[in-house]
């Protein structure tokens, strides 16, 4: 069963600002690659072994979701051994889906392997409505009959049939759901306007190791030639580029000299460009990034957009960096309609931010002052950690269960390079 994680509902993080960061941090496996790859295990009766799986709340939730379907889910060393051979309940109940929208990623695999699925609609979330209409439209194009019944997506299909799908917008999990469904469909599927995120590529690599025939992952045109069945495999999850980027902004803000070991610089071009523009010095190796920050950062302008452009999951962290930078930075969020909730909390620490629609104008101040703040969503929490590392005095971040969803032992990793941060029950 899913392991109990350290985080508890009312935990807080307490930070004393002002320490420079020096040393080495090991980057964990990518949450947003691990989640779809865990769901890929549903596509075969064989065993799927997944290495480098981070110990996160969201991963534990996905483990619970598969276990309650009847799958075997076992934590072995740093990874998971998944066995969906005895799945007898192709369902994802509301009580689990409401805590993690990524649960919708079981829909495509269940439909492809079992011919039916009953998955709760995810409902809204803090950062936006986040509908799944593109997932449904694509599965219908593959021949699925889908209806919404009492808040559930009820889907069935004798056997999915390859088709050409053009999504109305770029959707990461939408692309992943359709790629997994198409892997077992009869014939060829082309997904146009596909998401190009590295996590989509990692999933495609895992599926191909399982016997799928996927080409074009990483481009906006993915071609899947359906096969009768998939077999087991062993796959190592890629490094988490958003965790890596979060540490880059922490060092750029606090100052110091840190090596991020196990990082994938090739998945972070837009972030590395912006960190360099902010004045930090970056050295990259094939599986490491060194950042040296000696001076106060310079303000940068950024505009989020689908990969390979600047990632929306790094927007909040850069707003914290801009808050203490020299100059004024303009931050534009084009992916989600309500992803500025961290701005209010940063202003409690003394940040000067003007919000106009999907644009935030951040006027850097010499220093922030510590205060009690509240995490509102996963990456907002990360931006408050970055701010707390540099604010004068003590910052207490409440509701850090948001943080525990997507960061493995963040306070331990930061303390190891000199930050003064502790978890308070
Ligand atoms: C994935 O979410 C990530 N989650 C998110 O990371 C990330 O912010 C997002 O992609 C964008 O990069 C996982 O991979 C598990 P989308 P996803 O479908 O797939 C709209 C984090 O912090 N849309 O690419 O749910 C949607 O509302 C999380 O780790 C539709 O309208 O995002 C949004 O505005 C947060 N209809 C935009 O498209 C659909 O059917 C992009 O959403 C699907 C999406």
């Amino acid at each position: 069963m899913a392991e109990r994680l350290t985080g508890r509902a009312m935990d807080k993080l307490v930070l004393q600002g002002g320490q420079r960061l020096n040393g080495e941090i090991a980057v964990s496996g990518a949450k947003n690659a691990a989640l779809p790859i865990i769901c890929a295990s549903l596509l075969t009766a064989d065993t799927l072994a997944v290495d480098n799986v981070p110990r996160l709340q969201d991963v534990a939730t996905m483990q619970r979701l598969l276990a309650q379907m009847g799958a075997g889910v076992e934590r072995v060393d740093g990874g998971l051994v998944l066995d969906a051979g005895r799945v007898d309940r192709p369902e994802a109940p509301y009580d689990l889906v409401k805590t993690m929208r990524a649960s919708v990623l079981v829909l495509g695999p269940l439909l492809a392997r079992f011919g039916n699925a009953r998955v709760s609609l995810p409902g809204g979330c803090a950062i936006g409505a986040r509908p799944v209409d593109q997932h449904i439209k694509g599965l219908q194009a593959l021949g699925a009959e889908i209806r919404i019944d009492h808040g559930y997506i009820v889907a069935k299909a004798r056997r999915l049939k390859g088709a050409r799908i053009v999504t109305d917008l770029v959707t990461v999990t939408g692309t992943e759901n359709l790629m997994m469904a198409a892997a077992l469909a009869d014939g060829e599927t082309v997904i146009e306007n596909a998401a190009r995120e590295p996590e989509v590529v990692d999933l495609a690599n895992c599926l191909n190791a399982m016997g799928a025939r996927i080409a074009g992952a990483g481009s906006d045109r993915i071609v899947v030639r359906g096969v009768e069945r998939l077999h087991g495999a062993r796959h190592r999850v890629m490094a988490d580029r958003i965790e890596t980027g979060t540490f880059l902004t922490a060092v750029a803000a606090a100052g110091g000299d840190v090596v991020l070991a196990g990082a994938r610089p090739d998945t972070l071009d837009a972030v590395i460009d912006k960190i360099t523009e902010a004045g930090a010095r970056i050295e990259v190796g094939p599986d490491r990034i060194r950042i040296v920050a000696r001076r106060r950062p310079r303000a940068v302008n950024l505009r989020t957009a689908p990969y390979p452009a600047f990632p929306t999951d790094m927007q909040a962290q850069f707003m914290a960096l801009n808050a203490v930078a020299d100059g004024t930075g303009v931050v534009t969020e084009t992916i989600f309609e309500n992803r500025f909730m961290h701005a209010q909390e940063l202003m409690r620490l003394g940040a000067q931010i003007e919000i106009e629609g999907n644009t935030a104008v951040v006027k850097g101040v010499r220093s922030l002052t510590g205060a009690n703040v509240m995490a509102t969503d996963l990456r907002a929490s990360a931006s408050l950690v970055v701010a707390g590392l540099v604010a004068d005095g003590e910052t207490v971040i409440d509701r850090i269960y948001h943080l525990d969803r997507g960061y493995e032992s963040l306070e331990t990793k930061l303390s190891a390079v000199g930050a003064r941060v502790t978890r308070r029950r």
Side-chain angles (χ1 to χ4, degrees), residues 116-391:
N116 67 81
R118 187 169 174 276
V119 175
S120 167
L121 275 169
C125 112
I127 62 178
R130 301 179 72 183
V132 290
D133 56 300
Q134 298 300 310
H135 301 236
I136 291 171
K137 175 188 158 191
L139 291 170
Q140 286 170 328
L142 293 172
E145 282 170 45
I146 296 185
R147 61 187 168 82
I148 306 298
D149 178 41
H150 294 86
Y152 276 76
I153 303 167
V154 181
K156 62 178 191 299
R158 263 180 312 291
R159 181 169 185 206
L160 295 172
K161 191 156 172 37
R164 182 169 177 278
I165 302 165
V166 185
T167 55
D168 300 350
L169 45 78
V170 175
T171 159
V172 176
T173 51
T175 301
E176 292 166 344
N177 235 336
L178 297 174
M179 199 163 68
M180 289 191 278
L184 290 181
D186 178 16
E188 180 175 278
T189 295
V190 178
I191 305 170
E192 302 274 11
N193 202 19
R196 298 169 55 188
E197 270 69 3
E199 294 78 17
V200 173
V201 176
D202 208 31
L203 172 63
N205 291 340
C206 178
L207 290 168
N208 284 339
M210 295 167 70
R213 300 168 71 176
I214 298 169
S219 80
D220 61 1
R221 187 175 192 274
I222 297 176
V223 180
V224 184
R225 283 188 295 169
V227 295
E228 285 295 318
R229 70 179 52 75
L230 295 182
H231 52 72
R234 180 171 203 114
H235 179 81
R236 179 179 175 77
V237 173
M238 66 178 280
D240 193 314
R241 63 189 169 100
I242 304 301
E243 183 200 23
T244 305
T246 303
F247 287 126
L248 289 174
T249 51
V251 180
D257 181 345
V258 171
V259 169
L260 300 174
R264 281 276 307 276
D266 62 308
T267 63
L268 277 160
D269 288 346
V271 172
I272 289 174
D273 285 354
K274 283 296 166 188
I275 281 281
T276 306
E277 193 184 321
R281 182 159 57 80
I282 297 282
E283 294 164 18
V284 299
D287 62 353
R288 54 190 275 123
I289 298 174
R290 180 184 176 199
I291 174 170
V292 181
R294 297 259 183 261
R295 295 184 309 281
R296 181 184 179 195
R298 288 193 298 269
V300 294
N301 298 330
L302 61 91
R303 181 185 177 81
T304 67
Y307 193 89
F310 190 90
T312 173
D313 290 351
M314 283 301 306
Q315 178 260 107
Q317 299 90 316
F318 266 77
M319 193 181 286
L321 181 61
N322 269 345
V324 293
D326 179 10
T328 296
V330 178
V331 174
T332 305
E333 171 60 55
T334 73
I335 305 288
F336 291 109
E337 64 269 26
N338 185 31
R339 204 171 194 176
F340 281 155
M341 283 175 292
H342 40 285
Q344 292 300 333
E345 298 301 311
L346 289 170
M347 287 184 227
R348 285 183 46 72
L349 301 172
Q352 293 190 7
I353 304 170
E354 293 284 324
I355 306 280
E356 288 143 30
N358 69 342
T359 298
V361 179
V362 186
K363 189 176 176 310
V365 295
R366 271 231 165 269
S367 65
L368 298 173
T369 53
N372 284 29
V373 288
M374 191 174 76
T376 50
D377 59 85
L378 169 56
R379 305 304 174 182
S381 338
S383 85
L384 296 176
V385 170
V386 172
L389 289 172
V390 300

